[in-house]
Amino acid sequence: MSQSFRPKTPGWVDEFKTFLLRGNVVDLAVAVVIGAAFTGIVSSLVANIINPVIGLITGGVDFSNHFITLKGTVEPTLAAAKKAGAVTLNYGLFINAIINFVIVAFAIFWMVRLIQKLYRKPPPAPAVEPPPTPSELLLTEIRDLLKSRPTV
């Protein structure tokens, strides 16, 4: 008679499974994956379309090469400074990150606004009064008869 040993599953495992399979957690996971893909698209938009336009407007300024060398040899580009082992303060990359954030926030704002318009609840139907009950009809008749009697 062989018995297989099976350890008792802790109670929190079932709770964790329930938590993971709730709709909100699955929706959040999907949103994170889509957000990561969306960030790649926005990064490309910033790097390849918006930054060149900003550079053209500002006279050829490329923010990615704006840095301050804190220690080491001063180089003309950030890539050369990193290759030389210089310690740099990369404020241009920070400006690019801010531009990225503003564009992502703007795009998400418009997406949420569009989704809210698509899923806007229809206005509630006007309330229809139920027909009067027999006692209400009787009381209405009595009231009307009393109104029609001449006052003494």
Side-chain angles (χ1 to χ4, degrees):
M1 196 166 138
S2 82
Q3 284 184 323
S4 63
F5 175 72
R6 188 166 192 165
K8 185 179 179 211
T9 307
W12 62 266
V13 171
D14 290 332
E15 266 185 73
F16 187 64
K17 283 180 189 176
T18 303
F19 170 75
L20 284 179
L21 297 177
R22 269 194 292 189
N24 294 345
V25 175
V26 174
D27 291 345
L28 180 61
V30 169
V32 167
V33 171
I34 289 173
F38 189 69
T39 300
I41 291 169
V42 171
S43 295
S44 175
L45 174 70
V46 169
N48 301 318
I49 295 175
I50 294 176
N51 281 349
V53 171
I54 291 173
L56 184 65
I57 292 170
T58 59
V61 174
D62 177 14
F63 290 117
S64 62
N65 275 320
H66 283 223
F67 63 97
I68 297 171
T69 303
L70 300 175
K71 182 179 178 186
T73 59
V74 176
E75 300 289 341
T77 66
L78 180 59
K82 285 189 182 269
K83 188 175 181 181
V87 177
T88 58
L89 183 68
N90 307 320
Y91 67 89
L93 294 177
F94 181 69
I95 291 171
N96 282 347
I98 290 172
I99 293 169
N100 241 346
F101 172 77
V102 169
I103 292 168
V104 169
F106 188 72
I108 289 173
F109 166 76
W110 284 104
M111 281 179 35
V112 168
R113 191 166 183 223
L114 176 68
I115 289 169
Q116 285 175 342
K117 282 188 178 186
L118 292 175
Y119 290 107
R120 185 170 287 162
K121 292 181 181 177
V128 177
E129 285 190 39
T133 63
S135 21
E136 289 175 332
L137 287 172
L138 179 62
L139 288 171
T140 304
E141 284 181 33
I142 293 170
R143 182 200 64 204
D144 292 344
L145 285 172
L146 289 172
K147 276 186 181 177
S148 65
R149 291 179 68 194
T151 58
V152 181

